[in-house]
Amino acid sequence: MNPADGRAAEPDGLDAGRVVQVLTARRAGPGRRGSGYQVSGHAVLTAAHVVSDAVSVRLRFFTEDGGTTEVTGEPVWADAAMDIAVLRIARDARDASAGGPGAAEVRPVRFAAITQPVECEALGFPRFRLRLDSASTDRADPPWYRDSHHARGTTTPLSYLRAGSLEISVAPPEYDPEPDRSPWEGMSGAAVWSGGYVIGVVSEHHRFDGLGRFAASQVKRWYRLAPDRISALNELIGLPADADRLTRLPQLSPPRPETPEPDDAPEVREAAGKLAREVSEQWRREGRWQRVGDPSPLAVRFGCTERNVFDHWANIRRVPFGTVAEPLPLDGRLDRIVEVYESVPSRRLVVLGEAGSGKTVLTLRFVLDRLRARAAGDRVPVVFGLGSWDPVTTSLDDWLCGQLVRDYPFLDAPAGKRGNLAGLLLDEDKILPVLDGFDEIASGLHGAALRALNRTTMPLLLTTRPAEYSRVVEDNGVLTEAAVIELADLTVDDYADYLHRGSRPVREGGEDSTAWQPVLARLREEPDGPGAANLAQVFATPLMVALARTVYRGTPGRRPSDLLDVRKFASPEALQEHLLAAFIPAVYDPTPTGRGTSRRRRRHPERAQRWLGYLAAHLHELDTRDLAWWELGTTMRLSSRMLVVGFLAALAFGVTTGIGNLPVDLLATEHGLGFALGRGLAVGLLHGLLAGLVFGFVYGFVSGGAPREPSRVRLQIFGGTRQTRDTFLPRSLLGLGFGLLFALVLVFLDRCLVAPLGFDDGLDGGLLGAILFPLELGLGAGLVLGIMAWLEAPIEIGSAVSASELLSTNRKNVVFHMLVWMLVIGIPAGLGFGLLSGPVGVLMPGPVRGLLAGLVFGIEAAFGGGLGYGLSFTAWGQWVALSRMWLPLTGRLPWAVIAFLDDAHRRGVLRQAGAVYQFRHARLQDHLTQISQPHHAFRRSGSPGRADPEHTGNRPRPEGRLDSGNTRPSRPDGTHSGTTHGGADWLPGAGRESQG
C-alpha cells in the first residue's frame, strides 16, 4: 500500500531501459534476432523460438546516452507450445556501469489477464526498423542495425480462441519490400503491456491477417502447463501461483480520477472529439480515393536540411542557458514523421520540398498517424492551406477560426468568448495547425506571415518549397524554435517496385517482369545517358512517378520506353509537360469497363479536359487553389451576373403573376378568356420586369462582385440561438422597407400602365386597396425575414462535411424560405378577400374568393419574393443561376456540376479538403490553366489573351506560363498568385483509373 494515501501502488509499466534485443548464433544457418524484457534482476523473458537450438545468446540493452551495451545470456527455461523462454543474465554482467539498472534496482513485473478489449503496447526490434549505421568508421562495409519500434494498439480476448493467443492490432508498417518474409521479424519475444501489466509475449505474425496484426502468447494460457513447469516459471519471473491471482483488465475499480483541467470541460471534449473523428474520416477517405500506397507506396525519405534556415539547436531543444545542445536525429521515411516530430521538444517543424516532392502526402500521413495515437485531451491535427491567408489584414487566430468554420460547419455553434466552438478550441489549445503551402501565400506577404507565426509559440507543422522559404528567412529571420527537414529526391530503387507492382505483369522465361523493366535497367546502367538523365531528373519527384504510372498503366499505344527517346522529349521540361498533358486522357478513358456502366460516367476526355480547364482558369482568376461551388461563375463580369440573376427573378415573378391572374379574372369578373390572357400577359411582363430590375440591382449592390458565402445554419422550429434572434428586428425592418417600396411601384404600374391599356379588372380595391396592399406586402416581407432569423440554428454537430451536404443544406433553407413567404403573404391576402362582403359578379362567394386569392398571392410571394430573395441573397440561388444554368448553357461546365466534381474526385483529378475541392496538384492546375486560359479569357472579355480586370484588382494578367523554374502562372511583375493547401503534392497511386 502507498502509505501516503492508502491506495495500492500503481504498476511501473514499460521501461525502455529493461528492453532487450536478443541475438543468437546457431550451429547451422544464420543466427536469429528477437526481443525480450528484463523481468527480474537476472532474468529476461522472450519467445522460445528465438533461442531454440542457439549455441550462444547475446543480450543488447540501451544505455542512458542512447548507445547500447551487450551481456551474455543463457536459456534456463523454455516451452515451445507456449512459445516463451527465460534467459539468465550472466552473473555480475549487468550492473549500473553496464548502462542500466543493476539487479537490486529491478522491480518485479506484474502480470494480468484481459477480459475485454483493451489498449496495449510493445517495444521491440522488428525487421522494418533495419538501419544503416552512418556513424560507422568502416566505410567499405558499414554495419546495419535494428532500431526500436514502439507498437501501440488494441487487443481482444475473443480472437484466436482456438490457438489461445492474443490478436494485437497496431498501425501497419509502411513498407514490406520482401513479401516472402514478415516485416515484424525480430519483434518476437517483446513483452505486451496493458495498464502497467504484462499480458503476453509477441510470438508470431500471420501474413494472411495483414500487416497490422500479430499474435502474442497470453499469460493466462501459461497456466495450462504442468504444475512443476509452472512452478519453475513462477520462481524465475515472479508469476502468481495460479491464474485466479492474475489482475483482470480492465479493472472493475478504476484508479481515482484526477481533477479535470479547465480545458477538459464537456463542451471542449465533445467538440475536440467530434473534430478528431471528422478529420480522420476526411483524410482516410482521401487516401482511399487517391489510392495512396496502392499497391505499394513510394519510399519517400527526408532528413535534416543542410540549408541555413533553422534556429539554434539550443532553442529548438529548449535547453537551459549554458547547456550544449546536440543536433537531433531527423532522418527517416514517411512512417517515422510523427516520431520525428515528437522528438522535437518545441513541437515546431518545417518541411521543405520541391513541387511534387510529397509534402502533402507527408501531411496526410502525419495527421492520420497523430490521430491514431491521440489520447483524450490531446491537440487535434488539422490541415490548413496557407494560400488564402492575408497576414496583413487578418490575424492568424482569426484566420484559423474562419477556416475551421468553413471546413467543419458544426464548429460555428455558439460557445466561448469568441462566439463559436472553433474559437473555443483555439483558445483552449486543442488545435495542432498543419500549415500546408507557406510558399503559396501571396507574394510580398511572406515576411508578415513569418513574423505572425513567430509571435506565437504554438506547436505546428509547416510545409513550403525551399527557395521561397530561404528567401523569406534571409530577409526576416528563422521560424523560432522550429527544426527543418527536407524531402530527398527519389532514386531508382525508391520507385522501381512502385512502378513494377502498378503495371501489368509480363511473364517471359518463367520470370515476372513489366514494361518498365527496360526503362529501369537503363536508369541503373546508363544514368548519364541523354534520355536516362532527363527521365531521372523528372522521376526525382513522386508526383511525376505517380503520373507516369497512371499514364502508362496498360494504355494502348503507350510504352514506357518512349520516355527515353530524346527525339520526342529533348528536355526534362518536355517530359513533365507530356506527363501532365497525358494524365487527363488516361483517367478519362471512354471505353466501357463492366456491366451496367453509366453513360453519364463515360465522359469523353476532350469534354472533361475542357470543363476542367475552365475550372482551372476560374481558380487562376480568383487567385486561389480552392474550388468552392459557391464561387463558380463569379469570374463572369458583375454586369453579366446581374443580368442572369435579374432575368431569372423576372421569369419567376412574371410567369407566376401572369398565370395567377388567369383564374382570378376568369372567376371573379365577367370578362372573358381573351381579357384574362391579355391582362395576364401585361401584368406578367411589367411585374416581371420590375422584379428583374430590383433583384438584379440588389444582387449587384449587396454582393459587390464577391461570392455569397454558403449559409452554415439550418432552419428549425425550436433551436434558434440568442445571436440569431438578435437579428430579428433589423431583418424585419429591412423587409418592411423593401416590401413597402416594391408594393408601391406595383400599384403604380397597375394603375398607371395596366389600366390605361384597357386591362382594369376592377379588383384593385380603389383607394383602400392602394393603401392596404403596400402595408400588407411590407409587413409580410418584414415578418418573413424576421421569422427566418428567429428559426436559424447552427448546423448540427453530426452534419457531414462535404460540398454536396453544404449545398443540400442551403437548398433546403431556400425552399423553407419560399414556403414561409407563401404562408405569410397568402393567408392574410386570403382572409382579407374572403371577408369582403358579398360576392363579386355571380360566380364567386367570399370564402371561395378568399381561398383562391390566398393561393394566388401565396404562390406569387413564394416564387417572386422567396425565389427572388434566394437568387439575390443566398449562395444556393447564385449557384443555380450561374453554375446550374448559365455556365452549362454556354458549354463551360456540364449540367450536373456536382456529379462531375465528385467523379473527378473519384478519378484522382481532384481532392476534397473540407467543403471545397482542389486539383490534386498545383502543377496539374497550372497546366490546365495554360492550355485553356486564352479561350476562357476570350469567352469572358471578348478579347483573347486578356482577362477581365474587374475581378483581378483592376490588373490585367497575361496568359499563364509554365516553365522549369516556375510551376505557376506568372503575373506581370513575376510574382505568383496565392493558393491554398500548398498545391496538393499528391503522389502514390493518385492517378486512379475510372471503371466507367
Side-chain angles (χ1 to χ4, degrees):
M1 300 286 289
N2 188 332
D5 55 15
R7 292 184 292 138
E10 296 296 329
D12 292 334
L14 176 61
D15 179 1
R18 294 163 65 174
V19 175
V20 176
Q21 185 177 16
V22 182
L23 304 97
T24 70
R26 299 189 298 163
R27 290 187 178 86
R32 292 192 177 96
R33 292 174 181 260
S35 306
Y37 193 85
Q38 186 180 11
V39 293
S40 66
H42 293 287
V44 169
L45 182 64
T46 186
H49 74 268
V50 173
V51 295
S52 64
D53 68 358
V55 295
S56 66
V57 179
R58 291 176 296 147
L59 305 177
R60 182 176 292 168
F61 290 87
F62 288 113
T63 58
E64 291 182 352
D65 60 0
T68 60
T69 184
E70 290 186 5
V71 299
T72 303
E74 176 186 3
V76 294
W77 188 98
D79 188 273
M82 298 299 168
D83 199 13
I84 54 173
V86 179
L87 309 177
R88 177 180 287 123
I89 302 175
R91 185 177 300 277
D92 299 329
R94 184 109 198 270
D95 54 25
S97 64
E105 301 172 356
V106 176
R107 301 182 63 178
V109 170
R110 305 189 184 195
F111 298 87
I114 64 171
T115 59
Q116 297 178 25
V118 295
E119 297 182 349
C120 61
E121 59 181 338
L123 186 61
F125 304 85
R127 186 171 62 87
F128 67 87
R129 288 299 197 195
L130 190 65
R131 302 284 187 267
L132 183 66
D133 189 357
S134 58
S136 172
T137 57
D138 185 2
R139 296 301 177 186
D141 187 20
W144 294 77
Y145 69 97
R146 293 189 185 184
D147 211 340
S148 62
H149 176 68
H150 187 193
R152 293 179 292 177
T154 59
T155 184
T156 173
L158 300 181
S159 291
Y160 299 157
L161 286 174
R162 185 168 180 176
S165 54
L166 292 174
E167 179 191 57
I168 312 297
S169 300
V170 295
E174 179 76 14
Y175 305 94
D176 186 21
E178 299 180 48
D180 58 331
R181 297 178 63 186
S182 170
W184 291 105
E185 284 181 13
M187 194 75 178
S188 294
V192 181
W193 294 80
S194 180
Y197 295 85
V198 173
I199 61 174
V201 171
V202 177
S203 57
E204 59 187 334
H205 171 222
H206 304 289
R207 287 196 64 87
F208 288 111
D209 290 350
L211 298 182
R213 292 179 176 85
F214 52 80
S217 173
Q218 62 173 318
V219 172
K220 183 174 65 174
R221 189 87 169 181
W222 300 349
Y223 287 90
R224 297 191 179 187
L225 293 167
D228 58 331
R229 301 278 292 161
I230 191 67
S231 177
L233 184 61
N234 294 347
E235 293 180 3
L236 288 169
I237 66 174
L239 199 67
D242 55 71
D244 292 336
R245 299 186 182 183
L246 289 173
T247 300
R248 305 289 172 173
L249 298 178
Q251 299 184 64
L252 297 178
S253 300
R256 186 173 63 188
E258 298 179 355
T259 303
E261 298 294 330
D263 59 355
D264 288 334
E267 187 178 33
V268 174
R269 288 198 303 271
E270 182 182 4
K274 169 64 176 174
L275 178 62
R277 292 190 294 273
E278 289 283 357
V279 173
S280 179
E281 177 59 27
Q282 171 192 346
W283 294 111
R284 286 180 187 276
R285 184 171 57 248
E286 281 303 306
R288 289 194 299 270
W289 282 123
Q290 304 291 353
R291 300 183 69 183
V292 176
D294 180 24
S296 62
L298 277 167
V300 179
R301 295 169 285 108
F302 56 81
C304 184
T305 184
E306 296 180 357
R307 305 172 191 266
N308 186 26
V309 292
F310 55 92
D311 205 354
H312 300 285
W313 285 111
N315 293 337
I316 296 171
R317 303 190 72 157
R318 292 182 172 177
V319 299
F321 286 105
T323 304
V324 177
E326 297 294 331
L328 291 168
L330 301 178
D331 297 350
R333 294 193 292 193
L334 286 185
D335 61 325
R336 292 193 64 234
I337 182 58
V338 170
E339 182 181 339
V340 167
Y341 174 82
E342 292 181 344
S343 72
V344 181
S346 64
R347 298 296 193 271
R348 289 161 73 89
L349 182 66
V350 177
V351 180
L352 304 180
E354 300 293 349
S357 61
K359 298 187 295 294
T360 300
V361 165
L362 182 142
T363 63
L364 167 70
R365 184 61 188 264
F366 175 80
V367 168
L368 290 179
D369 286 357
R370 282 279 300 185
L371 288 172
R372 189 179 292 113
R374 179 180 178 269
D378 287 352
R379 290 174 176 262
V380 180
V382 182
V383 178
F384 298 90
L386 279 173
S388 62
W389 179 32
D390 184 349
V392 174
T393 61
T394 308
S395 70
L396 178 62
D397 278 359
D398 288 344
W399 177 78
L400 291 174
C401 186
Q403 295 295 105
L404 285 171
V405 169
R406 185 200 71 174
D407 291 341
Y408 308 97
F410 71 89
L411 292 179
D412 200 24
K417 297 179 180 179
R418 289 209 223 175
N420 58 23
L421 285 174
L424 180 62
L425 291 179
L426 287 168
D427 289 339
E428 298 296 336
D429 296 327
K430 295 303 178 185
I431 303 297
L432 171 57
V434 180
L435 305 175
D436 195 11
F438 180 82
D439 54 286
E440 304 291 356
I441 295 175
S443 180
L445 299 180
H446 293 98
L450 186 61
R451 291 191 294 272
L453 292 173
N454 278 334
R455 285 193 288 270
T456 75
T457 58
M458 69 167 60
L460 57 84
L461 185 143
L462 181 144
T463 72
T464 180
R465 298 182 188 180
E468 288 85 346
Y469 191 69
S470 297
R471 283 196 294 269
V472 70
V473 166
E474 183 177 354
D475 296 335
N476 299 274
V478 300
L479 180 60
T480 56
E481 298 186 343
V484 182
I485 61 175
E486 187 165 357
L487 293 167
D489 290 344
L490 296 179
T491 65
V492 180
D493 292 334
D494 292 332
Y495 53 73
D497 194 49
Y498 174 77
L499 292 174
H500 275 310
R501 296 180 66 178
S503 304
R504 182 176 62 85
V506 177
R507 295 180 173 87
E508 296 178 356
E511 294 185 1
D512 287 355
S513 181
T514 67
W516 285 102
Q517 187 64 40
V519 177
L520 297 170
R522 282 275 301 276
L523 290 172
R524 286 192 174 99
E525 297 167 4
E526 304 177 25
D528 296 328
N534 289 341
L535 187 59
Q537 183 177 339
V538 171
F539 277 7
T541 59
L543 170 68
M544 290 301 161
V545 177
L547 291 181
R549 192 178 78 162
T550 299
V551 171
Y552 289 94
R553 183 187 288 166
T555 304
R558 293 184 186 271
R559 297 177 302 174
S561 57
D562 293 342
L563 296 172
L564 297 169
D565 191 344
V566 292
R567 292 171 298 179
K568 293 182 178 179
F569 311 111
S571 65
E573 292 74 24
L575 276 171
Q576 292 174 1
E577 287 300 310
H578 162 68
L579 293 176
L580 289 167
F583 175 67
I584 298 299
V587 297
Y588 280 96
D589 183 359
T591 305
T593 57
R595 294 179 54 193
T597 304
S598 169
R599 292 183 59 84
R600 181 178 61 85
R601 296 287 301 279
R602 297 201 301 268
R603 304 187 189 278
H604 196 277
E606 291 184 3
R607 288 197 297 270
Q609 181 157 305
R610 183 175 72 250
W611 295 330
L612 291 168
Y614 173 80
L615 294 175
H618 159 78
L619 294 181
H620 177 62
E621 294 297 324
L622 293 182
D623 232 1
T624 183
R625 300 289 185 191
D626 284 346
L627 181 58
W629 59 262
W630 58 89
E631 293 182 348
L632 291 176
T634 53
T635 49
M636 296 168 53
R637 287 191 178 94
L638 178 60
S639 58
S640 300
R641 285 181 277 149
M642 291 171 63
L643 285 175
V644 172
V645 170
F647 173 76
L648 292 176
L651 189 65
F653 192 72
V655 170
T656 53
T657 302
I659 295 177
N661 268 267
L662 293 178
V664 174
D665 285 331
L666 287 174
L667 296 178
T669 71
E670 296 180 350
H671 300 291
L673 178 62
F675 176 86
L677 290 173
R679 177 177 171 78
L681 180 61
V683 171
L685 287 174
L686 291 173
H687 287 197
L689 179 61
L690 174 63
L693 289 173
V694 169
F695 283 113
F697 279 108
V698 167
Y699 165 76
F701 176 77
V702 172
S703 67
R708 294 289 299 177
E709 286 281 339
S711 172
R712 291 178 174 85
V713 297
R714 69 192 193 280
L715 300 174
Q716 60 181 37
I717 303 302
F718 302 102
T721 63
R722 183 181 60 81
Q723 287 86 346
T724 57
R725 290 169 182 167
D726 287 344
T727 63
F728 175 84
L729 184 59
R731 289 197 192 179
S732 297
L733 293 176
L734 176 65
L736 175 62
F738 182 84
L740 282 172
L741 292 175
F742 189 76
L744 288 173
V745 178
L746 286 179
V747 171
F748 173 81
L749 290 176
D750 287 345
R751 306 223 172 165
C752 298
L753 292 179
V754 176
L757 290 174
F759 294 112
D760 186 0
D761 57 4
L763 299 177
D764 58 12
L767 179 61
L768 181 61
I771 297 174
L772 293 179
F773 177 68
L775 288 177
E776 179 195 358
L777 191 57
L779 291 173
L783 184 59
V784 168
L785 297 187
I787 289 175
M788 299 304 294
W790 187 271
L791 298 180
E792 287 179 353
I795 289 181
E796 55 192 355
I797 198 169
S799 297
V801 180
S802 69
S804 57
E805 288 291 335
L806 198 56
L807 179 62
S808 176
T809 299
N810 279 252
R811 181 177 61 247
K812 291 176 183 177
N813 290 350
V814 173
V815 172
F816 195 89
H817 212 288
M818 293 174 64
L819 181 61
V820 173
W821 274 92
M822 176 182 287
L823 295 177
V824 171
I825 301 297
I827 291 177
L831 290 175
F833 275 81
L835 294 176
L836 289 176
S837 61
V840 178
V842 296
L843 299 176
M844 197 170 97
V848 176
R849 179 179 59 180
L851 179 62
L852 180 60
L855 181 62
V856 169
F857 274 90
I859 293 175
E860 290 180 2
F863 283 90
L867 187 57
Y869 178 91
L871 290 170
S872 303
F873 293 95
T874 70
W876 178 84
Q878 294 169 33
W879 149 264
V880 169
L882 303 176
S883 304
R884 292 290 282 121
M885 294 185 179
W886 182 250
L887 293 177
L889 277 172
T890 56
R892 282 174 275 189
L893 285 179
W895 288 101
V897 182
I898 290 294
F900 174 71
L901 297 178
D902 288 339
D903 182 49
H905 180 212
R906 285 188 289 270
R907 295 176 190 266
V909 180
L910 301 177
R911 73 168 187 165
Q912 189 174 343
V916 299
Y917 289 98
Q918 296 165 344
F919 280 89
R920 62 173 286 182
H921 195 275
R923 296 288 302 275
L924 178 61
Q925 177 184 325
D926 294 337
H927 169 78
L928 291 169
T929 301
Q930 183 185 21
I931 63 177
S932 66
Q933 194 180 37
H935 175 70
H936 177 66
F938 176 77
R939 294 294 299 269
R940 291 183 57 247
S941 63
S943 57
R946 179 182 175 89
D948 180 11
E950 181 179 355
H951 302 292
T952 57
N954 294 320
R955 178 184 56 202
R957 299 184 186 177
E959 298 174 18
R961 179 176 60 85
L962 188 67
D963 55 30
S964 60
N966 176 20
T967 59
R968 302 176 56 198
S970 300
R971 291 174 176 166
D973 58 0
T975 61
H976 309 298
S977 56
T979 68
T980 58
H981 287 274
D985 303 28
W986 214 259
L987 43 85
R992 177 181 182 269
E993 284 192 337
S994 172
Q995 297 302 310

